């Protein structure tokens, strides 16, 4: 059983004009697909073949001899999570328990926005900005390259923003802060984050 490229949870033009169909065509159809192809080639004939993506990530994490396996497996998982972290007509403020939790743990939604944008903008090079829950408390973390909160005990990701250049360069060029603002204002899927928070309770 090989790892497969999951379909996008929406049409390629569903996030336009904020993220173009052209960007999703390259990002999902080329970058994400390449990670899948690379991983299947790396695990073929090994004891990792046939195991779940999460299991492969946790087994390969921290093992220098499996760095290629980890990088490709984690990027597959991170990208899939990122696609679900967005939706058409998303953005704005969350509601319900997630909204109350953000106010409680960050002080206000505006404070959360400031900290999330800062995390994404200051991630040097390639990486990710995450909203996670750790031991019952919401936190913002950033990870470099393929690193993922999945490898950290007690940390459960709620949503993520991809800050690798291939995520935004065709639409925003070098304006990563504008991309982060657009992500929060128009794209973030708070329903997905709220579902993940409910599961973590």
């Amino acid at each position: 059983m090989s790892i497969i490229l999951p379909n996008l949870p929406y049409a390629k033009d569903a996030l336009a004009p904020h993220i173009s169909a052209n960007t999703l065509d390259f990002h999902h159809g080329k970058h994400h697909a390449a990670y899948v192809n690379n991983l299947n080639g790396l695990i073929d004939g090994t004891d990792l073949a046939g195991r779940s993506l999460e299991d492969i990530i946790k087994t390969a994490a921290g093992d220098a001899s499996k760095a290629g396996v980890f990088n490709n497996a984690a990027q597959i998982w991170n990208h899939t999570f990122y696609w679900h972290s967005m939706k058409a007509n998303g953005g704005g403020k969350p509601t319900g328990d997630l909204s109350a939790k953000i106010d409680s743990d960050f002080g206000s939604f505006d404070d959360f926005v400031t900290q999330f944008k800062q995390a994404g903008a200051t991630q040097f090079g390639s990486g990710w900005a995450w909203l996670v829950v750790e031991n019952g408390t919401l936190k913002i973390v950033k990870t470099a390259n393929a690193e993922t909160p999945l490898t950290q005990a007690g940390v459960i990701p709620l949503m993520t923003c991809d800050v690798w250049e291939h995520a935004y360069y065709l639409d925003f060029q070098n304006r990563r802060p504008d991309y982060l603002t657009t992500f929060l204002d128009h794209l973030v899927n708070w329903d997905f984050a709220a579902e993940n928070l409910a599961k973590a309770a």
Side-chain angles (χ1 to χ4, degrees), residues 29-111:
K30 300 289 191 295
H31 289 279
H32 197 175
Y35 298 129
V36 172
N37 292 335
N38 290 342
L39 180 63
N40 282 320
L42 288 167
I43 65 174
D44 185 37
T46 75
D47 59 355
L48 294 174
R51 289 161 74 171
S52 72
L53 190 60
E54 291 82 358
D55 192 20
I56 292 169
I57 291 167
K58 290 174 181 177
T59 299
D63 184 343
S65 70
K66 292 184 172 68
V69 169
F70 174 82
N71 287 337
N72 284 281
Q75 282 291 77
I76 296 167
W77 193 94
N78 288 353
H79 277 84
T80 302
F81 198 80
Y82 169 62
W83 305 136
H84 287 278
S85 294
M86 299 183 291
K87 68 175 184 176
N89 302 310
K93 292 184 177 182
T95 58
D97 291 344
L98 178 58
S99 177
K101 187 79 173 141
I102 285 175
D103 287 344
S104 172
D105 292 348
F106 293 102
S108 71
F109 180 72
D110 287 344
D111 287 338

Side-chain angles (χ1 to χ4, degrees), residues 142-155:
K142 56 185 179 179
T143 59
N145 299 319
E147 292 296 328
T148 175
L150 274 190
T151 61
Q152 301 167 26
V155 178

Side-chain angles (χ1 to χ4, degrees), residues 106 110-120 140:
F106 293 102
D110 287 344
D111 287 338
F112 157 77
V113 167
T114 297
Q115 292 178 44
F116 191 85
K117 287 182 183 178
Q118 182 179 26
I140 294 166

